[in-house]
């Protein structure tokens, strides 16, 4: 059996002949992978210490010169697929389908240093899916080609072509290559064909092949224990047939043949040559490997991720089966990265848009953190020197690079937005410098990002939160400083509402302590403040469709009036008049409806006006309407908060007398107009314009008081509006409105309803702005096509959604459904189609029913039988929560009228409420 | 199988002949029905009648009267306006705009550009939203490929539809559905023998030869390593060759009675990828593939559908019983991959890691003719074509081939369409 094994001391000398490598005996049990390094006989003389020391040496070597630079980018000729940084942090290699270049990172710019894509004919071997720069050797690079070739490059070669070796063992695209972090010659590749291969760069073919289909070893024993039993750890460069032995067998055998060299056992032990070709054909279905990464801390361990969502942990000496396997993601796992410092921490990113951090040190892989991003995660890289930070980029749609604090998974800590197409490769420039990030992108650019130039989404985030409670309480959270400033404006909250302040306990360890201090205030509603009763009533009683417009308007006006909302009622009446052409309707009927529906205040005013007015049916109705307008105005003003009304009064008081005079004047004119209708049509024309101007005036007046709705209701008694004082103070405004309505009346029969669409639109906007979106939506539905075109789609949609939301808060499901159904906005009407599935469990076996109708396919019985009639219930099903018997709603109701016992005869006393 | 039928019946209220044929492969059928159900009936951005109308549009592109009739009924059932059925010009402008995409997608998907997408998304009040567009694209591709399946397997009309109870060949093929579903081969074999006069032993050798070739390929794959240029040229050769592969009997199939009004520009048909004048760059799967890119995009804009389609592709691609004609325990993955990649090759989609020489070895001419006809011009499939390829293989295996064909086609179309959408978005 061949060679003498090299001792650990001898191992430091570099072997000239790779094939002559032997086993390394081990003196004592080793538990940490890092200690294996000196035993292996593979390392370069300079790097034979444990990785920790090596790391520090690298640091000291480079630590002297502090990295400098700025945020910069350079244009590449073609899209990049991957980038990798040289260990000196001064060069970066960019690889893509048609680019393979090395750039030097200088202070101000990237400088192209070397084009590795030489030769005239473009070869697929050069179309790189991945590239990696050896972290120990500045001259060594490896690329993974899309045609399944793994290529290594030696920059030390004197010729123009730096290509070193070509491994053509993979049958499909190679997705990832990875150098061993400390070994100079160990390269690992993972391919679409489902295999991972380990190459020793001194040999022409792979030394071991790992199949993604391999079963997990972890079940029958702890993997690490096996290492500790004291037999010789087999080198990765050994022949694979030794490695394929069953552990127990290997254990016994290897103790005997401890010094057995690879050449001998290849033939004697197994008698078969287990090369990459030995795979049985059925294995070709194994899942594609998306990423492979050597553990930084554990010498023999590497992780691989798969298209089916699995992550496997391998011991490089045991290609027969993986140490551990678990499902990490739903869908492909595109990437993984070992934490540079925390042993056993592995971050994985997948198509399911998640980044997960796993702790591998425990018996089962434990998910420690989970970050939800907005697109599938293509790359993930831990940030150096920041224990909880990692950088991610996405494969589709999202072009930004995010740096996350895994403990704060909702908002990224930093964001780089330089790229215009998806980012395909990211790399931290130096393993101990957290502020420089390099990235390559499909937009053919290479970027260096500086952390201090990153945008911080936290700053842009809205730091306030607002939420309604079940009983109308309002909680409000904001930054403490903000609330402190606000508290000076206490009256804003109102005296009946009590803010309660909570203060969050701060964790001094948290890095965001400064940002996280916030205060929560809760505002309670006043007791007995069922102020929204009118809303519910209105919603329930309004008729929105199914009858002629005129009837709908009348009905709704009536409802509003009965609830004491006279302004709304009046609006309905007006709408009716505008849109139901009087030519079609008998005038008497019109006046009748108005008169009948009118509140006492209105009638009072009617009678008052009628004294002055000339008789005549036509004019009477018109005046009715004119008074209606006037009244609606009084209501509006009534409803306004006292303060503002006073202001109004002050304003108008100055012009009190002339205004009064005007009123009389105008009304006198009105009289004449009505009497001498035909003659005065022409003089009337300019006045037709005047009210148009007056109309916005009304809005200004009304808009100012944002009085709460319930206040309005209280103040809205007809007695108040009918009082003489009010009428006096309101007179000026009144006049302008009487003008308006007169002209309305006058031209009603001639003007198309389109003429009013502007006014109606303004009216709807007015209501919506006032908070009465109910009115806006109801009118919108009732009028339908007549106004829809005047209001832009988005506003309509906004109203609809607000109203539906309100209705649902009040649990008016039926009404909200009706509104959804009647809406014409597509976004709204499709609300009804969403999640219309009802999942039913069988009442016997308690398992979900499949879609096979009413029979459970497991217990073959009809579920949901009516206890009364013993038929299957296909509509409304009511059941007792005590005994879970039930049946048709009607049947159960009838049954329980006569008996209090359960109809099923179970003896339970059911209650129906 | 019965559970599947029951599910299908519950979902559709019928058990159509497509289901009856697909049930040869219940695993696939389940996924297929689930996807179709979701596309047509579950939550989605498009209203129900739009979905059926798009199905009609897509099927009509291939003059597939069977699917058109089915969906005309469904369309009316969900309250679609019967006027629309008089032709695309009677449908809303929005759907008319989709006509162009439908046309290109069905016949020359490689010509889809982001301008097509932009045209649909920015058409004032007739514009599509991205989610709607993705839904529509998925529907279009689904029905294009389903039309391929219908012709490829010679699905006859439902019994209650026009031509359902006549023996007049409504679309192309004239063998009764029962032959397939009952696995009643004898009738068919008799046909073959009489019509083609091919001895059984002859066709037996076919299978043997195919298996031998596969074995050889498996073994020698690593021995003789083709040079890069050769690999590249093999793709080109295969692409070019696929152009000449065409059935000689180009008899015109007259479009069924009411099909032609659903689509315009009847002259627009499949043109070979490599033949038409301008040079369209090869689509590299490694740059835009379904698993990484397409899936993410679809799932983002039309949730859950990406997952369903992904499953369907997976099942179709990996489906195998390890049998070939009378042989058992055969690894057919190589053959399946050859078929899949051949179809993608016809659409100009290239896999860097595939040696296109394999296709030539594994797929004989009559099979290529069949594949090409089913995928590109399904309306021209004849029963003779169906019979003349792989004579020794079972019907179930031929249906299996058809499943591969339609899924590969659907993926190819989706890839082009989604790539255009992605380009539009970036």
């Amino acid at each position: 059996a061949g060679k003498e094994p090299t001792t650990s001391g001898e191992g430091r000398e570099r072997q000239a002949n790779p094939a002559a490598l032997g086993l390394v005996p081990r003196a004592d049990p080793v538990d940490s992978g890092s200690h294996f390094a000196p035993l292996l006989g593979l390392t370069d003389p300079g790097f034979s210490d444990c990785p920790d020391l090596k790391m520090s040496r690298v640091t000291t070597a480079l630590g002297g010169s502090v990295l400098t630079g700025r945020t910069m980018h350079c244009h590449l000729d073609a899209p990049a697929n991957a980038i990798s940084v040289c260990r000196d942090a001064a060069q970066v290699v960019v690889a893509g389908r048609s680019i393979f270049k090395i750039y030097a990172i200088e202070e101000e710019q990237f400088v192209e240093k070397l084009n590795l894509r030489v030769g005239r004919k473009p070869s697929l071997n050069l179309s790189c899916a991945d590239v990696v720069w050896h972290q120990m050797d500045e001259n060594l690079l490896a690329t993974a080609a899309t045609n399944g070739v793994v290529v290594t490059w030696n920059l030390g070669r004197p010729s123009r072509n730096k290509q070193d070796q070509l491994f053509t063992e993979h049958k499909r695209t190679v997705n990832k290559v990875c150098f061993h972090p400390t070994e100079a010659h160990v390269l690992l590749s993972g391919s679409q064909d489902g295999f991972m291969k380990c190459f020793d760069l001194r040999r022409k073919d792979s030394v071991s092949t790992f199949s993604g289909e391999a079963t997990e070893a972890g079940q029958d024993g702890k993997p690490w224990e096996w290492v500790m039993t004291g037999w010789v750890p087999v080198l990765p460069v050994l022949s694979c047939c030794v490695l394929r032995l069953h552990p127990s067998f290997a254990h016994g055998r290897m103790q005997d043949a401890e010094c057995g060299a690879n050449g001998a056992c290849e033939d004697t032990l197994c008698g078969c040559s287990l090369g990459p070709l030995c795979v049985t054909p059925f294995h070709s279905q194994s899942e594609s490997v998306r990423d492979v990464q050597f553990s930084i801390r554990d010498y023999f361990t590497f992780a691989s991720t798969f298209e089916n969502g699995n992550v496997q942990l391998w011991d490089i000496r045991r290609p027969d089966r993986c140490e551990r396997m678990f499902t990490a993601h739903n869908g492909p796992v595109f990437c993984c990265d070992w934490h540079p410092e925390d042993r056993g921490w592995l971050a994985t990113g997948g198509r399911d848009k998640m980044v997960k951090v796993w702790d591998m040190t425990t018996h089962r892989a434990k998910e420690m953190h989970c970050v939800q991003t907005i697109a599938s995660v293509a790359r993930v890289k831990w940030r150096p020197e920041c224990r909880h930070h990692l950088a991610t980029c996405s494969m589709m749609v999202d072009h930004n690079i995010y740096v996350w604090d895994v403990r704060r998974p909702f908002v990224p800590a930093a964001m780089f937005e330089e790229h215009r197409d998806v980012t395909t490769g990211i790399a931290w420039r130096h393993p101990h410098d957290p502020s420089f990030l390099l990235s390559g992108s499909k937009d053919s650019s290479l970027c260096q990002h500086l952390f201090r130039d990153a945008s911080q989404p936290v700053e842009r985030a809205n730091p306030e939160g607002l939420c309604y409670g079940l009983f109308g309480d309002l909680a409000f959270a904001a930054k403490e400083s903000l609330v402190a400033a606000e508290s000076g404006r206490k009256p804003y909250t109102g005296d009946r509402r009590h803010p309660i302040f909570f203060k969050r306990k701060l964790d001094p360890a948290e890095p965001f302590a400064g940002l996280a201090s916030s205060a929560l205030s809760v505002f309670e509603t006043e007791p007995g403040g069922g102020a929204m009763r009118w809303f519910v009533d209105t919603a329930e009683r309004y008729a929105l469709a199914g009858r002629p417009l005129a009837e709908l308007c009348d009905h709704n006006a009536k409802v509003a009036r009965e609830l004491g909302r006279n302004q709304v009622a009046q609006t309905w009446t007006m709408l009716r008049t505008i849109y139901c052409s009087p030519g079609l309707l008998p005038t008497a009927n019109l006046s009748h409806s108005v008169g009948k529906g009118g509140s006492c205040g209105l009638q009072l005013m009617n009678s008052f006006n009628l004294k002055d007015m000339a008789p005549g049916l036509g004019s009477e109705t018109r005046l009715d309407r004119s008074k209606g307008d006037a009244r609606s105005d009084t209501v509006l003003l009534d409803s306004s908060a006292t303060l503002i009304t006073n202001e109004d009064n002050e304003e108008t008081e100055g012009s009190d007398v002339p205004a009064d005079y005007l009123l009389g004047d105008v009304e006198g004119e009105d009289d004449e107009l009505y009497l001498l209708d035909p003659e005065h049509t022409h003089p009337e024309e300019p006045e037709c314009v005047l009210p148009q101007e007056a109309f916005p005036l009304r809005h200004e007046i009304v808009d100012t008081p944002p009085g709460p709705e319930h206040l309005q209701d209280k103040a809205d008694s007809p007695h108040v509006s009918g009082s003489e004082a009010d009428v006096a103070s309101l007179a000026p405004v009144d006049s302008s409105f009487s003008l308006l309505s007169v002209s309305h009346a006058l031209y009603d029969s001639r003007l198309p309803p389109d003429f009013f669409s502007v006014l109606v639109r303004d009216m709807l906007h007015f209501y919506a702005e006032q908070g009465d979106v109910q009115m806006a939506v109801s009118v919108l539905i009732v009028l339908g096509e007549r106004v829809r075109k005047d209001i832009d789609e988005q506003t309509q949609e906004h109203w609809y959604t607000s109203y539906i939301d309100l209705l649902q808060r009040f649990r008016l499901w039926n009404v909200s459904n009706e509104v959804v159904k009647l809406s014409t906005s597509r976004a709204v009407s499709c609300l009804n189609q969403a999640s219309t599935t009802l999942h039913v469990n069988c009442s016997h076996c308690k398992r979900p029913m499949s879609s096979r109708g009413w029979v459970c396919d497991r217990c073959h019985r009809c579920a949901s039988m009516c206890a009364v009639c013993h038929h299957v219930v296909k509509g409304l099903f009511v059941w007792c929560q005590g005994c879970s018997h039930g049946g048709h709603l009607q049947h159960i109701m009838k049954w329980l009228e006569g008996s209090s016992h359960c109809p099923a005869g179970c003896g339970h006393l059911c209650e129906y409420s | 199988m019965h559970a599947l039928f029951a599910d299908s019946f519950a979902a559709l209220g019928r058990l159509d002949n497509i289901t009856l044929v697909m049930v040869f492969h219940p695993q696939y059928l389940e996924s297929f029905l689930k996807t179709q159900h979701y596309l047509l009936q579950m939550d989605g951005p498009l209203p129900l009648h739009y979905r059926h109308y798009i199905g009609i549009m897509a099927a009509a592109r291939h003059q597939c009267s069977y699917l058109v009739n089915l969906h005309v009924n469904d369309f009316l059932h969900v309250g679609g306006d019967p006027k629309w059925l008089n032709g695309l010009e009677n449908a809303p402008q929005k759907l008319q705009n989709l006509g162009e995409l439908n046309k290109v997608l069905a016949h020359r998907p490689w010509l889809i550009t982001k301008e097509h997408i932009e045209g649909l998304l920015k058409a004032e009040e007739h514009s599509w939203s991205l989610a709607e567009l993705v839904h529509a694209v998925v529907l279009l591709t689904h029905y294009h490929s389903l039309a391929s399946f219908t012709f490829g397997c010679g699905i006859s009309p439902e019994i209650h539809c026009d031509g359902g109870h006549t023996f007049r060949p409504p679309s192309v093929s004239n063998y009764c559905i029962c032959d397939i579903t009952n696995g009643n081969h004898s009738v068919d074999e008799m046909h073959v023998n009489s019509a083609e006069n091919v001895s059984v032993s002859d066709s037996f050798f076919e299978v043997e030869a195919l298996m031998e070739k596969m074995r050889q390929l498996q073994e020698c794959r690593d021995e003789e390593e083709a040079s890069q240029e050769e690999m590249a040229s093999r793709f080109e050769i295969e692409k070019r060759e696929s152009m000449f592969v065409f059935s000689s009997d180009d008899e015109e199939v007259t479009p069924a009675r009411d099909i032609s009004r659903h689509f315009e520009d009847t002259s627009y048909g499949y043109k070979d990828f490599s033949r038409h004048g301008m040079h369209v760059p090869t689509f590299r799967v490694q740059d835009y593939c379904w698993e990484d890119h397409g899936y993410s995009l679809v799932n983002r804009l039309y949730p859950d559908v990406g997952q369903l389609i992904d499953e369907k592709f997976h099942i179709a691609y990996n489906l195998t019983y390890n049998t070939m004609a009378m042989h058992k325990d055969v690894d057919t993955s190589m053959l399946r991959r050859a078929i899949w990649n051949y179809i993608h090759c016809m659409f100009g989609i290239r896999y860097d890691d595939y040696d296109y020489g394999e296709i030539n070895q594994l797929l004989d001419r009559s099979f290529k003719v069949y594949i090409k006809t089913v995928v590109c011009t399904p309306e021209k499939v004849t029963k003779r074509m169906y019979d003349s390829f792989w004579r020794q293989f079972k019907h179930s295996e031929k249906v299996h081939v058809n499943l591969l064909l339609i899924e590969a086609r659907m993926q190819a179309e989706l890839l082009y369409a989604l790539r255009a959408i992605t380009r539009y978005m970036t």
Side-chain angles (χ1 to χ4, degrees), chain A residues 81 97 121-125 127 129 145-149 168-175 192 277 279-285 287 290 307 330-332 334 351-353 374-376 395-399 420-422 442 826 830 833-837 850-853 857, chain B residues 2-3 6-7 10 42-48 51 94 125 127 129 132 218 221-222 225 228-229 231-232 284-297 299-300 307 310 314 317-320 322 329-331 333 336-337 350-354 418 422 425-426:
Chain A
N81 276 346
R97 172 169 290 282
K121 283 192 210 112
S123 160
L124 272 183
N125 290 346
S127 123
T146 49
N147 62 350
V149 178
T168 52
E169 287 179 22
H170 283 295
K171 278 176 277 177
R172 304 282 306 269
T173 300
V174 179
N175 286 321
Q192 198 78 13
L277 295 176
V279 203
T280 54
F282 293 94
H283 276 209
S284 54
Q285 276 182 32
E287 286 296 330
R290 298 312 296 245
E307 205 140 80
N330 180 16
F334 287 138
R351 194 171 69 179
D352 58 359
K353 308 178 187 174
I374 56 166
S376 55
M395 190 169 272
M396 273 301 280
V397 193
D398 186 19
H399 309 158
R420 298 274 73 87
D421 201 340
V422 284
K442 274 252 161 81
R826 237 179 326 114
C830 73
Q833 292 164 25
S835 56
T836 46
T837 320
S850 69
S851 55
R852 294 186 59 182
D857 49 352
Chain B
H2 285 287
D7 281 343
M42 303 294 278
D43 298 352
L46 288 173
L48 291 179
R51 305 181 191 189
K94 192 167 158 176
E125 75 257 50
S127 59
S129 73
E132 286 172 335
Q218 187 97 33
R221 183 183 294 171
D222 301 271
E225 194 50 56
Q228 290 306 309
E229 299 79 58
M231 297 285 266
R284 307 265 185 172
V285 165
Q286 269 75 11
D287 292 344
Y288 197 98
C289 67
W290 164 257
E291 284 81 12
D292 295 1
H293 306 92
Y295 171 91
S296 303
L297 184 66
N299 236 23
R300 184 187 184 87
Q307 190 64 43
D310 193 40
H314 239 258
Y317 190 82
N318 290 327
L319 188 70
T320 182
N322 296 315
D329 293 333
V330 192
D331 177 23
S333 61
R336 282 180 283 127
R337 192 168 169 216
R350 177 172 178 191
Y351 291 79
D352 280 347
D353 52 1
Y354 189 70
L418 294 174
T422 310
M425 285 166 74
T426 51

Side-chain angles (χ1 to χ4, degrees), chain A residues 173-490:
Chain A
T173 300
V174 179
N175 286 321
K176 201 79 185 177
V177 282
C178 175
F179 277 115
H180 194 280
T182 51
E183 263 332 309
H185 306 288
V186 180
L187 175 68
L188 192 64
S189 66
S191 156
Q192 198 78 13
D193 60 12
F195 293 105
M196 295 143 275
K197 285 175 193 288
C198 182
F199 302 96
D200 184 324
L201 299 188
R202 293 161 299 187
R203 289 174 52 156
K204 283 209 161 55
D205 45 17
S206 66
V207 285
S208 44
T209 302
F210 310 85
S211 164
E213 288 221 323
T215 47
E216 191 177 357
Q219 302 305 328
D220 55 331
K222 287 127 240 159
W224 298 109
E225 203 176 272
W226 175 67
V227 178
M228 285 198 276
T229 47
W231 72 278
V232 182
V234 187
L235 296 180
V237 282
L238 276 187
S239 105
C240 38
C241 61
V242 175
L243 300 168
R244 276 171 184 269
L245 291 175
H246 189 270
S248 59
F249 176 61
H251 190 114
R253 254 344 247 263
M254 293 308 285
Q255 274 178 336
D256 298 339
E258 206 168 63
C259 328
N262 50 347
C265 72
E266 203 161 53
D267 304 320
T268 53
L269 288 179
C270 341
C272 70
S273 73
L274 294 166
L277 295 176
C278 70
V279 203
T280 54
F282 293 94
H283 276 209
S284 54
Q285 276 182 32
S286 58
E287 286 296 330
S288 308
V289 185
R290 298 312 296 245
D291 198 358
V292 283
Q293 289 291 337
F294 273 110
S295 165
I296 295 166
R297 312 284 295 185
D298 291 318
Y299 189 85
F300 289 119
T301 308
F302 72 88
S304 57
T305 70
F306 292 85
E307 205 140 80
N308 59 359
N310 284 347
V311 171
Q312 292 181 351
L313 230 60
W314 291 82
D315 186 315
I316 197 142
R317 297 157 299 181
R318 295 192 54 190
D320 57 335
R321 48 174 162 181
C322 61
E323 299 293 335
R324 180 180 285 183
M325 179 163 89
F326 60 95
T327 303
H329 290 264
N330 180 16
V333 189
F334 287 138
C335 53
C336 66
D337 194 33
W338 291 94
H339 198 282
E341 269 129 54
D342 281 300
R343 186 177 163 193
W345 278 28
L346 181 73
T348 59
R351 194 171 69 179
D352 58 359
K353 308 178 187 174
M354 304 234 233
V355 179
K356 290 180 180 174
V357 179
W358 305 87
D359 185 358
M360 300 291 203
T361 53
T362 50
H363 187 62
R364 287 177 63 97
K366 198 176 83 193
E367 185 186 325
M368 292 195 299
H369 300 285
C370 178
V371 176
Q372 175 87 51
T373 65
I374 56 166
S376 55
V377 182
R379 305 260 190 242
V380 55
K381 284 269 182 284
W382 286 101
R383 188 176 174 204
E385 312 282 296
C386 295
R387 191 161 177 245
H388 290 103
H389 282 204
L390 48 79
T392 66
C393 67
S394 155
M395 190 169 272
M396 273 301 280
V397 193
D398 186 19
H399 309 158
N400 300 339
I401 303 165
Y402 301 99
V403 177
W404 301 87
D405 185 316
V406 289
R407 294 161 303 173
R408 299 189 157 272
F410 304 108
V411 182
M415 190 160 96
F416 300 103
E417 302 165 295
E418 274 82 2
H419 288 298
R420 298 274 73 87
D421 201 340
V422 284
T423 311
T424 47
I426 48 175
W428 294 95
R429 189 167 157 192
H430 187 269
H432 292 279
D433 189 325
S435 52
F436 291 88
L437 180 71
L438 298 162
S439 69
S441 158
K442 274 252 161 81
D443 66 1
S444 307
S445 74
L446 174 69
C447 259
Q448 170 168 282
H449 312 276
L450 239 64
F451 216 75
R452 60 160 194 270
D453 294 338
S455 68
Q456 299 194 333
V458 176
E459 284 171 3
R460 273 184 273 158
N462 186 356
E464 286 90 33
L466 187 73
C467 189
Y468 266 113
L470 186 61
F471 301 105
D473 298 351
L474 180 71
F476 174 67
K479 266 207 280 195
E480 212 165 54
S481 52
L482 217 84
V483 176
E486 203 93 336
S487 56
R489 290 196 267 151
K490 202 94 179 256

Side-chain angles (χ1 to χ4, degrees), chain A residues 734-765:
Chain A
D734 212 359
S735 72
S736 78
F737 274 90
S738 61
L739 255 180
L740 165 76
S741 37
V742 164
S743 62
H744 272 194
L746 207 64
Y747 287 93
D748 220 355
S749 49
R750 292 172 215 175
L751 288 170
D754 273 353
F755 179 78
F756 301 100
S757 58
V758 181
L759 302 184
V760 174
R761 187 194 64 202
D762 287 350
M763 184 271 290
L764 290 181
H765 278 286

